[in-house]
Amino acid sequence: MSGVKSIEVAADEQDIRLDRWFKRHYPELPHARLQKLLRTGQVRIDGKRAKGNFRLKAGQSVRVPPMDDGERPTAASRPPPKALDADETEALLSSVIHQDDHVIVINKPSGLAVQGGSKVRKHIDAMLDAFIPGGGERPKLAHRLDKDTSGILVLGRTASATARLAEAFRYKEAQKLYWAVVVGAPRPSKGRIDLALSKRPGPGGERMAPDGTAGKPAITDYRIIEKAGRKIAWLALRPRTGRTHQLRAHCLALGTPILGDGKFGGSTSFLAGFPKKLHLHARALRIPHPAGGVLEVAAPIPAHMRETWEMLDFDEDYVEAGFFDEDD
């Protein structure tokens, strides 16, 4: 049995939940045992008790009580990441839309997970060695995107840059613009969705749903850019909060599920003749740059959305002028 340890929270672990931090560092620790350690105060953050959903900050100290040998992290306890082949490396490097000494921004493809899980071996986080062929510091994720959402994903090239970028996302200093194609056309054509959300169990697993009693606040601004009658519409979406699957749940609440979103919209989210992938794209971002000033980037839409644009004669080169400058 190993003794008590104090482990400092790394910069790339900013805003991670305490229970997920333990899952990352102690993958063999049973959930029930972790909950007991938390309840009895054996796990502490900077000397204070904490719950599993506590959000960690870089530099904080986590008190880890003695662990049984089988619960300690070992190389064998974690499946090795899938080795990158030349095509995957080239694809990742070609997805870069901005790069400087502090930040890398990539245009993430739809269908590629950002981080791994129990059944996920291929993901962005395991591929980041592609950016350090000559050595140096490995870039780190500053935020997350859903697996099926395409578009802007920000990486920090140093620990300090990652921490500053993560803080910008956490404290809503980052302004995000998404494009989505939805089934139907919302009315009115422009507005704000202020609808609290919480996780609900279902046959396809947990998903976010409206919950005015126990839900967490969730706000999204939207407006129609173009539409094809009442059948389909192209929306600009600006999330004011960052709940899991917020845009997908809010579009469904409008009565217009995102095209290709079977998880939330079921069969109503699919239209004959259109690609079946999720039509949600992180299009543009404005964020304070770690070295000063402001970084603004935009990401081209993926191939399946471009196909839909061509079918509907939408203007892919449309610029959402002034969207970030609207009053809060």
Side-chain angles (χ1 to χ4, degrees), residues 200-219:
R200 298 283 183 84
E206 286 188 336
R207 72 172 197 175
M208 301 300 284
D211 186 344
T213 302
K216 294 183 178 180
I219 300 172

Side-chain angles (χ1 to χ4, degrees), residues 82-258:
K82 179 180 179 294
L84 283 180
D85 61 31
D87 289 342
E88 289 174 334
T89 299
E90 182 180 356
L92 185 63
L93 295 177
S94 66
S95 72
V96 173
I97 54 179
H98 173 86
Q99 183 169 323
D100 58 42
D101 291 341
H102 306 274
V103 183
I104 298 173
V105 183
I106 66 174
N107 187 6
K108 188 189 86 67
S110 174
L112 179 60
V114 171
Q115 288 186 301
S118 58
K119 298 181 181 180
V120 179
R121 291 285 304 280
K122 183 177 179 180
H123 52 88
I124 295 287
D125 196 31
M127 302 167 71
L128 297 183
D129 285 342
F131 292 108
I132 51 170
E137 192 167 350
R138 191 176 191 268
K140 298 177 178 63
L141 299 164
H143 66 128
R144 311 288 183 267
L145 278 183
D146 291 345
K147 176 181 177 181
D148 294 322
T149 302
S150 59
I152 291 171
L153 184 68
V154 181
L155 315 172
R157 301 197 72 173
T158 65
S160 60
T162 304
R164 291 175 184 173
L165 291 164
E167 286 182 0
F169 282 103
R170 181 182 182 189
Y171 294 111
K172 302 178 179 63
E173 296 173 338
Q175 296 173 293
K176 297 175 283 186
L177 173 66
Y178 287 75
W179 280 357
V181 176
V182 297
V183 179
R187 294 184 179 181
S189 62
K190 175 182 177 181
R192 171 168 289 189
I193 310 162
D194 188 348
L195 186 64
L197 301 171
S198 67
K199 288 184 179 179
R200 298 283 183 84
E206 286 188 336
R207 72 172 197 175
M208 301 300 284
D211 186 344
T213 302
K216 294 183 178 180
I219 300 172
T220 304
D221 291 339
Y222 75 92
R223 68 179 174 197
I224 294 176
I225 299 175
E226 290 192 57
K227 61 180 179 178
R230 297 181 180 179
K231 178 181 179 182
I232 199 167
W234 166 17
L235 302 186
L237 300 167
R238 184 176 171 188
R240 302 289 184 162
T241 54
R243 306 303 173 201
T244 302
H245 295 162
Q246 174 177 315
L247 301 181
R248 298 165 72 172
H250 275 176
C251 285
L252 180 64
L254 282 177
T256 55
I258 297 176

Side-chain angles (χ1 to χ4, degrees), residues 294-305:
V294 176
L295 173 65
E296 293 191 19
V297 287
I301 57 176
H304 71 280
M305 291 181 69

Side-chain angles (χ1 to χ4, degrees), residues 177 223 238 286 318-327:
L177 173 66
R223 68 179 174 197
R238 184 176 171 188
R286 175 189 286 176
Y318 173 85
V319 176
E320 186 69 7
F323 194 84
F324 285 139
D325 299 322
E326 293 182 350
D327 293 336

